[in-house]
């Protein structure tokens, strides 16, 4: 399928048609999976509002079918849409709750995934002190910069990593 090989934009119209057919004909047995995959593809395509709507509906159906692991998967995606949309507080709220549920259900993978998303929502990029920067131009070999490199428009590649860059009065990191 298109989704399995990473072609989410190609999968979108097929998933939208499948969701419409399932709704029209009352085919509820696969509807939550279709909605979850549709939400995932919409998230990857940048349509966060539509993704949230489909993920919430998928979670409601999965909860009614008593599928806790699948609900967690949809909730994790929902939290990622909030984080990606700049609403870290909402993302952290969802992942904190989901992490506790994963722990209670003995789901280490779910707990680890939630811990990672929770950390991403709580940690400012500027708080990271040790990192690596690399780049690759065309088919050439990747180039690793020295550990924790900073610079503005490096001569050979034009890359930038500048901490405490002022953008409209906000402290940020310039990545180019």
């Amino acid at each position: 399928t298109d989704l399995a090989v990473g072609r989410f934009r190609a999968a979108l119209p097929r998933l939208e048609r499948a969701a419409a057919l399932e709704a029209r004909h009352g085919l509820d047995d696969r509807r939550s999976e279709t909605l979850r995959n549709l939400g995932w593809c919409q998230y990857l395509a940048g349509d966060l509002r539509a993704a949230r709507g489909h993920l919430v509906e998928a979670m409601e159906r999965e909860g009614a079918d008593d599928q806790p692991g699948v609900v967690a998967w949809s909730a994790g995606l929902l939290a990622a849409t909030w984080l990606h949309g700049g609403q870290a507080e909402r993302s952290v709220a969802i992942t904190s709750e989901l992490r506790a549920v994963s722990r209670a259900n003995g789901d280490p993978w779910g707990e680890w995934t939630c811990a990672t998303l929770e950390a991403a929502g709580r940690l400012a990029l500027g708080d990271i002190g040790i990192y690596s920067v690399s780049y690759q131009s065309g088919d050439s070999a990747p180039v690793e910069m020295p550990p924790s490199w900073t610079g503005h428009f490096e001569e050979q590649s034009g890359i930038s990593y500048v901490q405490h860059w002022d953008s409209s009065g906000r402290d940020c990191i310039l990545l180019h």
Side-chain angles (χ1 to χ4, degrees):
T1 67
D2 290 322
L3 183 57
V5 296
R7 296 185 339 208
F8 60 90
R9 290 188 197 283
L12 270 171
R14 291 185 180 101
L15 287 166
E16 288 166 342
R17 281 194 303 276
L21 284 170
E22 290 168 356
R24 188 173 26 247
H25 298 291
L27 304 171
D28 288 339
D29 57 327
R30 293 198 41 129
R31 185 137 170 81
S32 64
E33 182 179 1
T34 301
L35 291 169
R36 183 178 59 253
N37 287 329
L38 180 56
W40 185 17
C41 287
Q42 289 166 322
Y43 164 66
L44 293 173
D47 189 352
L48 301 180
R49 172 173 269 166
R52 289 180 191 128
H54 288 116
L55 291 168
V56 167
E57 187 179 347
M59 287 169 47
E60 290 168 352
R61 291 175 174 278
E62 292 156 354
D65 294 341
D66 196 28
Q67 299 178 25
V70 181
V71 173
W73 199 85
S74 294
L77 279 174
L78 180 63
T81 69
W82 288 116
L83 183 61
H84 187 80
Q87 301 212 14
E89 310 82 36
R90 289 182 103 166
S91 177
V92 168
I94 292 169
T95 54
S96 296
E97 183 178 326
L98 190 55
R99 185 176 179 196
V101 169
S102 295
R103 184 180 304 119
N105 289 338
D107 178 6
W109 184 86
E111 188 177 352
W112 176 86
T113 301
C114 291
T116 304
L117 262 173
E118 192 176 339
R122 294 181 191 273
L123 182 68
L125 190 56
D127 292 342
I128 299 172
I130 299 174
Y131 53 89
S132 64
V133 176
S134 60
Y135 67 90
Q136 182 175 9
S137 297
D139 293 333
S140 67
V143 176
E144 286 272 334
M145 300 304 283
S148 300
W149 174 85
T150 61
H152 188 45
F153 292 111
E154 189 266 339
E155 232 176 86
Q156 234 179 350
S157 65
I159 65 170
S160 289
Y161 184 96
V162 180
Q163 295 177 332
H164 306 295
W165 185 267
D166 180 62
S167 177
S168 301
R170 294 180 61 195
D171 185 36
C172 64
I173 292 176
L174 171 68
L175 296 170
H176 174 77

